[in-house]
Amino acid sequence: MIKQRADLTFKENIKKGRHGWVRLTPAYSVKLVFDILESNGDARHVLDPFSGTGTTGLACAELGINATLVDINPFLIWLAGVKTARYSYADLIHATRYANIIVDTVKTGKRNSATWTPPIHKIHRWWSSGRLLVLAETYKKICEIEITDPVRNLLLIAFCRLLIEWSNAAFNHQSMSFKESEQALFDETAMMTSAYLENVSRVVRAASKKIAGEVRIIETDSRSLAVPTRTPYDCVITSPPYSNRMSYIRELRPYMYWLGYLREAREAGELDWKAIGGTWGIATSRLATWISKNDFKSDSLDRLVSAVATESQVLANYIHKYMDDMFMHFCSLKTHLAEDATLHYIVGNSKFYETVIPVEQLYAEMMSSVGFTDVRIERIRKRNSKKELYEFLVSARN
């Protein structure tokens, strides 16, 4: 029997130094990356074309393997860059010192309700008024204080942790939900600032670990990879967005609004439309009129799309567009790989109404169609959702 295997999910990353800096439920386990690298002992330059929080790149760098990371989300580009950066001893000392200065200022200063807060819709679902003011003043001080970018980045990582820890967001479901908001009966400033210093301490400890490999990070669209290839990549390890209509932007919103990567809801919808598998806001309405223009021909995909269309044409278009986009990716990927390079894609299947979408089989079909060989599918774990849903490792060779 295939089990759920929490060690093969984001939960494994929480206790793994830099991997656990920022929680993102769709992130996959660093253990999977280490296992794949161990089975590909000769990998020298790894490509992750859907790098997300940087799990693959950081794992490679820790082992002294060079990696190139690609993502379309600018916040994730920043996050992966901060997680894989090399920090000097002075950076670590200054991060601790200035964190204490910031906390002292927030604790002793008078909080101003006019201080900037991000334009998140129904922001008080996320934070009570008191907590929001403490977050706003802390963020303001991080931005105002004169420090180097590496030091500021470490302080911002600790702030990202704080804003989720003290939010009403709940993570006991497949996606994020909200706990019932309660107004505090006392001033929580001392507790929140203490928690911030604890986060800084944790971040600094993890940042002190030496990074051996070189990591390049590129913001681009993986459907048409534009990556400089000094030497062809000999290994691909990645986990694309799943075709389950769960918006990755939804969980990233608090970070992206606070750090200035989003200014209004429409921007979230636009980014979700650009991303493969995105369905936030305007992305859903655009699916209604979307028409396939791709070259991937598959009888099995046609049957699946037709079955879902009997219930919802929008969802049928969503599945079709997802597969079209992934086919474009595989076509674009081929030119960047070394001869005999290996591919490893961690992906889940999906279900719409009564139709199970065997994403892993469609990946294998697309890989073969593009010209990859030795395509294999391994079921690796049961997912914590519908009984038919699993996670797979789809591998191939160039």
Side-chain angles (χ1 to χ4, degrees):
M1 177 183 291
I2 301 294
K3 298 181 179 180
Q4 290 183 354
R5 296 288 303 274
D7 61 317
L8 298 184
T9 72
F10 72 95
K11 293 179 181 179
E12 179 72 8
N13 300 357
I14 294 173
K15 55 189 177 183
K16 298 289 187 181
R18 299 188 192 197
H19 291 284
W21 273 358
V22 173
R23 174 183 179 135
L24 185 62
T25 302
Y28 57 104
S29 170
V30 64
K31 183 180 186 302
L32 278 171
V33 181
F34 286 139
D35 289 348
I36 293 169
L37 288 171
E38 184 177 356
S39 66
N40 289 261
D42 56 350
R44 293 293 175 266
H45 197 168
V46 173
L47 173 66
D48 183 350
F50 300 95
S51 58
T53 61
T55 300
T56 292
L58 180 55
C60 289
E62 289 171 340
L63 296 175
I65 300 170
N66 296 337
T68 296
L69 308 183
V70 171
D71 208 280
I72 200 169
N73 187 316
F75 167 74
L76 292 175
I77 293 293
W78 172 81
L79 177 59
V82 176
K83 285 172 69 173
T84 58
R86 292 169 176 162
Y87 297 97
S88 69
Y89 180 72
D91 292 334
L92 307 180
I93 294 297
H94 288 154
T96 303
R97 175 191 172 198
Y98 285 109
N100 281 281
I101 293 173
I102 289 167
V103 162
D104 287 343
T105 305
V106 172
K107 288 170 65 176
T108 58
K110 184 177 180 180
R111 280 173 288 290
N112 185 353
S113 60
T115 301
W116 178 87
T117 56
I120 298 176
H121 181 59
K122 295 183 179 178
I123 194 169
H124 287 98
R125 282 199 313 169
W126 288 87
W127 303 279
S128 66
S129 298
R131 292 180 180 183
L132 189 58
L133 284 177
V134 175
L135 290 172
E137 291 294 336
T138 303
Y139 180 70
K140 179 182 177 183
K141 301 305 178 187
I142 294 172
C143 294
E144 288 178 346
I145 200 164
E146 293 188 10
I147 49 179
T148 63
D149 285 344
V151 174
R152 196 181 318 278
N153 285 339
L154 292 174
L155 296 180
L156 286 172
I157 288 290
F159 177 77
C160 286
R161 293 177 58 83
L162 183 74
L163 67 86
I164 290 298
E165 290 168 352
W166 286 82
S167 74
N168 297 317
F171 296 94
N172 54 343
H173 305 286
Q174 180 183 5
S175 185
M176 182 183 59
S177 60
F178 289 100
K179 298 172 285 188
E180 186 174 345
S181 179
E182 295 182 2
Q183 201 69 29
L185 300 177
F186 55 90
D187 188 346
E188 296 177 307
T189 303
M191 295 173 62
M192 290 183 68
T193 52
S194 176
Y196 180 65
L197 289 179
E198 290 176 9
N199 283 333
V200 171
S201 177
R202 173 175 176 169
V203 168
V204 166
R205 283 198 305 272
S208 67
K209 183 176 180 179
K210 300 302 179 184
I211 296 295
E214 296 287 344
V215 180
R216 289 188 301 168
I217 304 170
I218 300 169
E219 183 180 341
T220 191
D221 189 339
S222 289
R223 286 168 291 204
S224 53
L225 280 170
V227 291
T229 311
R230 291 192 292 265
T231 57
Y233 303 103
D234 55 20
C235 184
V236 178
I237 303 175
T238 194
S239 183
Y242 292 2
S243 63
N244 56 6
R245 206 169 177 260
M246 186 179 79
S247 171
Y248 284 46
I249 296 295
R250 185 167 187 257
E251 289 206 20
L252 293 173
R253 275 184 303 159
Y255 310 122
M256 294 184 71
Y257 272 108
W258 274 105
L259 272 59
Y261 291 99
L262 287 177
R263 292 163 296 181
E264 59 182 43
R266 184 176 182 83
E267 292 177 339
E270 290 287 355
L271 185 56
D272 231 21
W273 178 249
K274 293 178 183 177
I276 294 176
T279 58
W280 185 264
I282 56 176
T284 297
S285 60
R286 289 176 181 173
L287 281 170
T289 57
W290 176 85
I291 299 174
S292 174
K293 299 178 180 178
N294 214 334
D295 295 327
F296 178 53
K297 307 300 180 186
S298 167
D299 292 339
S300 57
L301 176 59
D302 290 344
R303 287 193 297 271
L304 293 164
V305 169
S306 295
V308 174
T310 62
E311 301 286 349
S312 169
Q313 186 60 54
V314 169
L315 289 180
N317 287 354
Y318 167 79
I319 297 164
H320 201 167
K321 183 177 185 299
Y322 176 91
M323 296 305 168
D324 274 12
D325 287 345
M326 285 306 302
F327 184 67
M328 292 172 64
H329 160 69
F330 286 123
C331 291
S332 176
L333 174 70
K334 185 98 172 134
T335 61
H336 296 284
L337 301 181
E339 184 179 351
D340 211 34
T342 58
L343 286 69
H344 309 273
Y345 281 69
I346 301 158
V347 68
N349 60 353
S350 57
K351 183 179 181 181
F352 295 92
Y353 303 103
E354 297 304 314
T355 303
V356 174
I357 310 298
V359 178
E360 74 287 357
Q361 296 176 24
L362 292 165
Y363 269 39
E365 190 176 338
M366 286 187 277
M367 288 176 173
S368 297
S369 175
V370 169
F372 296 117
T373 61
D374 193 21
V375 181
R376 304 178 307 282
I377 300 173
E378 177 188 356
R379 184 185 294 182
I380 56 179
R381 75 175 186 92
K382 173 74 179 70
R383 284 154 61 199
N384 186 23
S385 49
K386 299 175 183 177
K387 65 180 181 179
E388 302 93 342
L389 300 188
Y390 292 87
E391 202 162 64
F392 300 87
L393 177 61
V394 185
S395 302
R397 191 172 294 277
N398 190 24

